[in-house]
Amino acid sequence: MKELILTSHMINTAVSEDFLSATGDAENRHGSSPFTGDVQDFPLFHSYHEAANRKCLIQLVQSALREEMLPAAYVSSQGPIIPMWRTKKLLLLEGGKAASLGRFTDINTIRLFDNISGNSRVISKAMDFILLLAEETDNSIFSGNWRQFQEEIENGILNSAMSMLYHDEWNSDLTMQLDQQDQNSFWQWVQSSRSISDPALFFEQWAAVGHIYHPCSKTKLGLLSNEVLQYSPEFRGSAKVRLGAIHKSYLSVAMSCQAKDSADDLLEWLGNQFPEWVSQWRSHMKKLGLDTATYSPMPLHPWQAEHAMPERFKSEIKTGKIIILDGPEMDMASTMSFRTMAPRESCGPHVKLPVAIQATSAVRTVSPASVHTGPKISTVLEAIIQKDPDIGARLRILPEQVGAHFKRPNGLPDDDDCRFLSVLFRRNPASLVAEGETAMAVAALFVECPRSNKPLITEIMEAAGVTTDADVLTYFQNYIRIVLEGHLDLYLRYGIALEAHQQNTLCVFDKFHQPVAMMARDFGGVRIHKDQLKSQGFDIEGYPGAVTVTNDGVEARNKFLHAVMQGHLGEITLIIAQQFGLTERILWSIVAQEVESRFQHLHETISAERWEQEHRGILTDDWNLKALTRMRLEKTSHHYIYVPLTNPLRH
């Protein structure tokens, strides 16, 4: 729309060289900045940069406290006080209030007191807090990664500022549309709007505001700022995904739909899903004099094709084993995960592709382990739902149907190049939404709506007729029950802990605005307790060197607690308490009641030993918090760091 096009132009002209030099964009691949202007001439963007900086600062402080990088806070009438023993300082979080799961809300000013000089100053910059944290920890526990971390933070703040500016303009445009149609509720407008053909995809992009607690949630090292605008979901980004060609002897294929995994099967399957695209590919190959019987089509993200593949696969490109074609292309929308693309014009599968940039804390490739394990897990999950309709009634699976990756003939299994040319095809959520239903990523529930400025979950509950405290508690209990009947039952009975955080989980609401089911997607981070799964008549072999399949019960439970209980239910509990003036304790007591109910329901279906271990581990023992920022600083993204967390379910 016109207003949003102008906003993109504003961004492209308002970002200063000072900001870009901090991220590396000022000296970019092409030798000059894509932006012009001075930030002093653009106070609007400057204000958004300040807002992004403050958001990141609060995330850093939360991470430092929750992940035990700083000592525990003392409660005072002015706010939490954190002693910094090594540097002889005190940190005051003015106005801050302690919440469950080690969180703090309502932080106003962050003030630093020097116990030696008696002076105090306000900490208002994320960079200042990083330097303070590095000094307090003596730079010792994080292997000298502070400078790299600062670069990631600076890049993330810039991208976050652009995102905030665009999101506000988008909301302003949506407010105008609501006014023109005399509609008060954004939620109900989305449900009924003829201009939104795929609400799930709309919410994927509208709600892509970033991780609540991760300070690098908008970091995208490796992209120029204009590429961030082009490809990121928060800017309604898209990519013209092209079909390249790879020699069949250089391809490894995995499929959930049949036992035979070959390049011929991939071509047939892809032709059924995207007939016109594959037909164009065949014609393109024929014009070039290339034999389609020898090659397989391979989807390529345009950024990957232009910037990562030419050097990495130089030898294979030279010998014609890999061909980066200039078409055919399909316009696909970026989803919340950035590298997973959704067809705009069909209900065809989502396409997960490697884009070798650092987004958040990791380089976003698609590993052979994911390619081969995803379809296997999908097959098992679909079989479980067939066997156990109670789980299926509450949990809809978006299977990873087919995967493929580059593999040199007789190559080493740990060849790092494999993950840079790969693909996973996942079922489209729209294909599992019935008439009158609306699905969205759970992350969307916490984003403020245009016009009302209320979180989306609040508008949904109001549309459902929630007015009294009793109504709130009933609605909340129903929501919790639906989540647990799917995810907790799957974990307790079958040992499968889905990585069911806000991005990987979609909530399905009916036409009466009631939650009816959850959808689960992206099985790369799943943990499966092999023996427990086997005890229920299913089996799965893990990929060599991967950690997906395990007999470590604590690791599997940590996955469930982190993703479902903390990342999903913990945030629903907090937002509803804040929005409706309730205490978290009341809501957590309902969660505990529903967890206990599931344990009692499943008592006869699992062993007494497992029942006791899991009952104690979930309802009584302290939980573990996944220390995302520490993991980044210590460069341990492939094995987790946990810190203890007070269990809010414990009486």
Side-chain angles (χ1 to χ4, degrees):
M1 297 179 184
K2 182 178 179 182
E3 291 83 358
L4 300 186
I5 294 171
L6 288 174
T7 299
S8 295
H9 175 71
M10 289 164 60
I11 293 171
N12 275 282
T13 57
V15 183
S16 76
E17 296 292 341
D18 291 337
F19 292 143
L20 294 172
S21 64
T23 67
D25 277 358
E27 297 179 2
N28 60 54
R29 288 187 296 269
H30 309 296
S32 62
S33 169
F35 299 97
T36 60
D38 187 287
V39 74
Q40 300 303 322
D41 298 329
F42 297 94
L44 176 63
F45 185 80
H46 182 79
S47 69
Y48 278 97
H49 193 273
E50 288 296 305
N53 170 76
R54 174 170 172 76
K55 178 182 177 181
C56 182
L57 172 62
I58 298 299
Q59 290 171 322
L60 285 166
V61 172
Q62 294 264 25
S63 295
L65 290 170
R66 299 181 79 205
E67 299 177 19
E68 297 185 349
M69 291 184 274
L70 291 177
Y74 295 93
V75 177
S76 79
S77 59
Q78 294 178 290
I81 297 175
I82 301 100
M84 305 178 74
W85 303 114
R86 183 177 181 277
T87 54
K88 297 180 173 58
K89 294 180 175 69
L90 291 174
L91 203 62
L92 171 64
L93 311 182
E94 292 182 357
K97 298 181 179 66
S100 64
L101 304 179
R103 299 168 294 192
F104 292 93
T105 63
D106 303 323
I107 298 172
N108 295 324
T109 303
I110 300 171
R111 191 174 298 276
L112 181 69
F113 293 87
D114 190 318
N115 291 344
I116 297 176
S117 68
N119 296 328
S120 71
R121 63 184 176 95
V122 172
I123 303 293
S124 60
K125 302 292 185 184
M127 290 303 111
D128 290 343
F129 183 77
I130 289 175
L131 294 174
L132 186 69
L133 188 60
E135 183 183 12
E136 176 64 20
T137 58
D138 194 24
N139 291 299
S140 57
I141 63 172
F142 302 127
S143 310
N145 294 326
W146 288 106
R147 182 55 204 159
Q148 174 65 23
F149 186 57
Q150 285 179 284
E151 291 177 4
E152 294 167 12
I153 291 292
E154 288 167 340
N155 178 264
I157 290 173
L158 173 62
N159 293 335
S160 182
M162 295 192 298
S163 173
M164 288 177 170
L165 194 164
Y166 189 92
H167 188 78
D168 280 358
E169 284 291 313
W170 191 355
N171 272 354
S172 295
D173 182 81
L174 291 168
T175 300
M176 284 176 45
Q177 295 183 59
L178 291 172
D179 291 341
Q180 290 168 359
Q181 299 177 36
D182 197 26
Q183 177 64 264
N184 291 319
S185 169
F186 170 65
W187 159 246
Q188 291 177 293
W189 175 79
V190 171
Q191 283 188 304
S192 61
S193 176
R194 293 182 180 179
S195 64
I196 300 176
S197 60
D198 186 347
L201 181 55
F202 171 84
F203 283 120
E204 288 276 348
Q205 298 197 322
W206 175 79
V209 297
H211 193 285
I212 297 175
Y213 299 112
H214 201 308
C216 296
S217 64
K218 288 298 178 185
T219 298
K220 291 182 175 69
L221 290 179
L223 290 187
L224 303 179
S225 291
N226 59 318
E227 292 170 331
V228 173
L229 292 170
Q230 180 178 355
Y231 296 128
S232 300
E234 58 265 39
F235 304 104
R236 298 200 288 185
S238 64
K240 294 188 181 301
V241 178
R242 68 182 77 170
L243 281 180
I246 181 170
H247 196 279
K248 290 180 178 179
S249 64
Y250 280 70
L251 192 65
S252 180
V253 177
M255 309 185 80
S256 66
C257 48
Q258 58 192 73
K260 189 177 178 182
D261 300 333
S262 73
D264 290 334
D265 296 313
L266 173 62
L267 179 57
E268 180 183 355
W269 184 89
L270 198 57
N272 290 332
Q273 299 296 322
F274 301 106
E276 185 177 350
W277 202 22
V278 172
S279 176
Q280 290 172 354
W281 177 83
R282 290 181 185 276
S283 298
H284 207 84
M285 293 286 284
K286 187 176 180 180
K287 288 178 183 176
L288 295 174
L290 297 170
D291 184 7
T292 56
T294 307
Y295 288 90
S296 175
M298 180 64 114
L300 306 174
H301 191 284
W303 190 94
Q304 189 80 350
E306 293 164 16
H307 301 297
M309 290 181 60
E311 181 61 30
R312 183 171 289 275
F313 299 104
K314 183 187 298 183
S315 174
E316 286 77 18
I317 292 171
K318 185 177 180 179
T319 57
K321 303 304 181 186
I322 295 173
I323 302 171
I324 303 177
L325 302 170
D326 57 5
E329 298 174 333
M330 181 181 292
D331 185 35
M332 295 192 180
S334 305
T335 67
M336 200 172 281
S337 73
F338 181 80
R339 59 182 160 163
T340 300
M341 311 303 297
R344 288 192 183 275
E345 304 300 329
S346 74
C347 223
H350 286 192
V351 185
K352 185 175 183 179
L353 296 167
V355 185
I357 62 158
Q358 183 183 315
T360 310
S361 295
V363 175
R364 298 300 168 175
T365 55
V366 180
S367 69
S370 295
V371 165
H372 288 279
T373 307
K376 287 182 181 179
I377 294 172
S378 299
T379 299
V380 170
L381 287 171
E382 291 185 305
I384 287 172
I385 284 173
Q386 288 293 320
K387 173 185 175 181
D388 199 329
D390 288 345
I391 292 178
R394 297 305 195 189
L395 188 62
R396 303 177 190 178
I397 300 300
L398 296 171
E400 292 172 350
Q401 299 158 307
V402 175
H405 68 84
F406 166 82
K407 183 179 182 296
R408 293 184 174 92
N410 305 316
L412 297 174
D414 59 351
D415 184 350
D416 191 54
D417 290 340
C418 298
R419 63 191 179 98
F420 290 87
L421 180 53
S422 46
V423 64
L424 266 174
F425 294 95
R426 180 187 302 141
R427 186 167 181 176
N428 193 318
S431 68
L432 289 180
V433 177
E435 183 71 26
E437 292 182 339
T438 305
M440 74 195 68
V442 166
L445 298 176
F446 308 99
V447 180
E448 290 185 358
C449 297
R451 195 173 195 185
S452 72
N453 296 320
K454 296 175 181 178
L456 181 58
I457 183 61
T458 306
E459 279 206 3
I460 294 172
M461 292 173 69
E462 289 174 348
V466 170
T467 56
T468 67
D469 286 355
D471 293 339
V472 173
L473 297 179
T474 299
Y475 194 98
F476 175 78
Q477 185 167 18
N478 183 46
Y479 186 99
I480 299 302
R481 182 176 297 143
I482 289 167
V483 174
L484 293 175
E485 286 180 357
H487 289 93
L488 181 56
D489 286 23
L490 182 68
Y491 169 66
L492 289 179
R493 187 168 183 186
Y494 298 97
I496 300 177
L498 299 175
E499 193 172 34
H501 53 56
Q502 296 175 24
Q503 180 174 294
N504 286 351
T505 308
L506 285 78
C507 186
V508 183
F509 293 88
D510 65 16
K511 63 182 179 181
F512 303 110
H513 320 292
Q514 296 289 337
V516 292
M518 300 288 152
M519 290 187 190
R521 66 181 178 191
D522 197 339
F523 307 133
V526 169
R527 291 294 181 272
I528 299 175
H529 193 281
K530 185 176 177 63
D531 286 351
Q532 181 59 30
L533 181 66
K534 206 166 185 178
S535 74
Q536 300 296 317
F538 298 93
D539 198 8
I540 187 171
E541 290 299 321
Y543 191 82
V547 296
T548 302
V549 182
T550 179
N551 270 323
D552 184 339
V554 174
E555 180 63 24
R557 187 186 313 126
N558 280 341
K559 177 66 68 172
F560 170 78
L561 291 174
H562 167 72
V564 178
M565 301 304 293
Q566 298 170 38
H568 185 168
L569 300 190
E571 296 308 315
I572 281 286
T573 297
L574 180 60
I575 200 75
I576 289 181
Q578 292 173 328
Q579 287 293 302
F580 294 96
L582 301 172
T583 65
E584 282 191 272
R585 182 180 296 276
I586 291 174
L587 299 177
W588 278 118
S589 69
I590 291 174
V591 177
Q593 175 185 329
E594 291 301 317
V595 170
E596 182 65 43
S597 174
R598 299 320 303 159
F599 270 97
Q600 296 305 323
H601 180 77
L602 296 172
H603 202 289
E604 303 302 320
T605 66
I606 58 178
S607 70
E609 180 183 14
R610 178 169 176 78
W611 193 95
E612 290 290 345
Q613 286 178 343
E614 297 303 329
H615 189 272
R616 183 174 62 252
I618 294 173
L619 280 159
T620 305
D621 292 347
D622 276 349
W623 292 350
N624 285 321
L625 172 73
K626 187 176 173 182
L628 297 172
T629 303
R630 283 186 60 173
M631 286 166 56
R632 179 63 205 130
L633 285 166
E634 298 188 31
K635 292 188 176 179
T636 58
S637 60
H638 296 295
H639 68 271
Y640 296 157
I641 297 173
Y642 291 106
V643 295
L645 189 67
T646 300
N647 187 340
L649 305 184
R650 188 165 55 220
H651 296 300

